[in-house]
Every structure is written in structure tokens, then in C-alpha cells.
Amino acid sequence: MSGTSGSVAAATPDDEYEILCDDVGSFLRRYSTEGGATVATDTELDGTTPYTPTGTVVRCDAATTPAANPQIDSTIQRQTGAGNVTIAAGARSVTLVVYAGSPTLAIGGGAAVTVAAGTSLTWGVDRGGDAGESLQDAFVFTGVAGSDFLVTSTREV
């Protein structure tokens, strides 16, 4: 079969899904494209029960508006050797980069876990403002002899 090439096209519909909200709550909208025409079908979140929107239809995340210009406080701390870095609950993002050693990490009072050198971990949320998100747990990073790590965080103020 040397020198043979080709392609196969299957005549199947192209479906895209989006969860939307109206005056009653959330529902699923399926956009299907068949034969060049786009058709929107609304269903309950189960994807099969028909649904008729009530009132204004918006993206669910558009229903609550974040603060126009939230102020963000940023921190950065490098820990070498033994010692702790604590990020209180309520941060928008937390990042750990381990350069050397094996520090431990405890989240929300849970059991500490050893993190190996070369590891980079990040936790974060994407919406702030009055109805915004934040990380609910505190993070405690504990260095031991030979540890070298960097912790950064952001928090809405």
C-alpha cells in the first residue's frame, strides 16, 4: 500500500451543548448542525426532557456580575530549610514550586503530604467580586532541612 492516501468523511450531526439560565433556573441548550442548518433544542439538564425558557435567557455565569474592578493582593515567599509558609483560607490562587528537598503540604487541616523536588502545583478560581469564588481552605507548606520552595498567592481585597 505504499504511496496510498485518502480520507473518510462521516455524515453525522455536529452537536454543541451549553448550560443557560432563564427566570426559572438553568437548562441545557443543544445546537445541532445538519445539512448546513443550525437548530437549537432546549431540554432540562437531563438532556431529554423538553424545556421552554421563561423570561430572559443568559449564560448562567452572566447572571451575577463580579465587582467591576476588584483589587487583588499578591504575595510571594521563598522558604529555604525548615520553616512554614501559611496561606489563609479565602485566596483566589495559590502556587507552589519546589526547587529542592521534600517539603510537606497540608490543605484545610488535612494530613500533610510530601511534595518532591521539581513539582509545581496551582489552585485557583476565576470569578471574584461580590458573588465571587475563593479557595475555602488554608494551605500550610512546611520546609525541612534541604528544602527550597516558592509559594505565591493572590487574594481579593
Side-chain angles (χ1 to χ4, degrees):
M1 290 282 218
S2 177
T4 303
S5 65
S7 64
V8 175
T12 61
D14 178 23
D15 293 337
E16 301 291 330
Y17 297 88
E18 184 170 17
I19 296 176
L20 299 173
C21 289
D22 63 8
D23 292 348
V24 177
S26 56
F27 63 95
L28 184 65
R29 178 167 286 168
R30 180 182 68 236
Y31 299 98
S32 299
T33 304
E34 289 189 54
T38 300
V39 176
T41 305
D42 296 330
T43 65
E44 302 262 340
L45 294 177
D46 65 9
T48 58
T49 306
Y51 184 82
T52 302
T54 302
T56 304
V57 174
V58 297
R59 289 185 57 202
C60 294
D61 61 356
T64 55
T65 305
N69 293 305
Q71 295 293 308
I72 305 296
D73 180 40
S74 301
T75 64
I76 185 167
Q77 184 172 346
R78 188 163 188 170
Q79 178 66 42
T80 56
N84 291 332
V85 175
T86 300
I87 304 298
R92 296 267 313 267
S93 68
V94 176
T95 298
L96 166 69
V97 178
V98 181
Y99 299 112
S102 298
T104 62
L105 164 60
I107 301 175
V113 174
T114 302
V115 182
T119 300
S120 175
L121 302 170
T122 298
W123 300 261
V125 297
D126 62 356
R127 280 189 64 115
D130 295 338
E133 304 167 324
S134 64
L135 299 169
Q136 75 175 14
D137 296 314
F139 292 74
V140 179
F141 305 91
T142 303
V144 295
S147 291
D148 183 5
F149 60 92
L150 185 71
V151 177
T152 61
S153 71
T154 60
R155 174 179 307 276
E156 193 168 319
V157 292

